[in-house]
Amino acid sequence: SCAPAARILATQLNQAGNSREAGEVLRKALERNPDSGDLHYSLGLLAAEEQDYSSALRHLGKAAELLPRHPRAQYNYGLALQHVGRRQEAEQQLKKAHQANPDDLDVTNALLVFYMQQNSPLQALPYAERLLAQAPGNPELGQLVQQLRQQVR
């Protein structure tokens, strides 16, 4: 499979500011490897970077389906769903990512933010506590955990 080489080349092109060419490389590789979750993932990230959310959702959704044990695929799909206002699906994806990798601070933080935006202190609290356990000296997190505990009481 030429998928890894295509992804490396696309990354180099994108970093050099040639995102259109990077997309072409990935799309051509995807034609030869339609079931490559990694290629769908790379295309989805590229599309999200370019704010093409319909394409990002399509490719990240496919990546999340093809790579069920890849927490980053679930996480980025969840963020894309959240971005377009598909909240229930976003929550499911972010929770999947969290179950697959409970120590990923980005995923934990994304769930905390998600529940804060939903004004759900009860659901936000465990994620805030988990982050505080990872960074016990963080005063903002300490304050947030206290506020959430008071709201939940």
Side-chain angles (χ1 to χ4, degrees):
S1 150
C2 61
R7 285 177 55 231
I8 292 166
L9 175 60
T11 301
Q12 290 170 342
L13 285 165
N14 192 35
Q15 286 170 346
N18 301 325
S19 62
R20 205 172 49 76
E21 288 172 58
E24 279 305 301
V25 167
L26 291 170
R27 278 187 284 279
K28 282 185 180 143
L30 192 60
E31 284 170 17
R32 292 189 297 274
N33 306 276
D35 291 330
S36 168
D38 289 328
L39 286 172
H40 280 288
Y41 181 61
S42 295
L43 262 170
L45 292 179
L46 191 63
E49 240 176 71
E50 295 176 334
Q51 292 169 353
D52 174 0
Y53 287 101
S54 66
S55 185
L57 282 169
R58 190 172 68 249
H59 289 295
L60 290 172
K62 193 73 180 155
E65 180 190 316
L66 291 167
L67 304 168
R69 287 183 184 71
H70 186 315
R72 281 286 161 193
Q74 311 300 327
Y75 166 74
N76 282 293
Y77 184 41
L79 292 182
L81 286 164
Q82 190 177 359
H83 189 84
V84 298
R86 288 164 61 181
R87 287 197 194 91
Q88 257 184 318
E89 293 166 271
E91 181 183 15
Q92 288 171 342
Q93 285 304 319
L94 292 171
K95 281 180 150 178
K96 258 191 218 174
H98 185 68
Q99 285 161 356
N101 190 358
D103 297 326
D104 186 316
L105 297 180
D106 289 336
V107 175
T108 305
N109 190 56
L111 278 159
L112 170 60
V113 170
F114 179 85
Y115 289 121
M116 296 283 292
Q117 289 173 342
Q118 302 300 308
N119 200 14
S120 306
L122 187 62
Q123 289 172 294
L125 181 59
Y127 299 105
E129 288 174 333
R130 189 172 203 114
L131 287 173
L132 185 60
Q134 300 278 343
N138 184 313
E140 289 91 4
L141 271 175
Q143 233 176 347
L144 178 63
V145 166
Q146 278 185 317
Q147 286 170 354
L148 288 170
R149 283 179 180 154
Q150 284 167 350
Q151 289 173 2
V152 165
R153 252 190 253 147

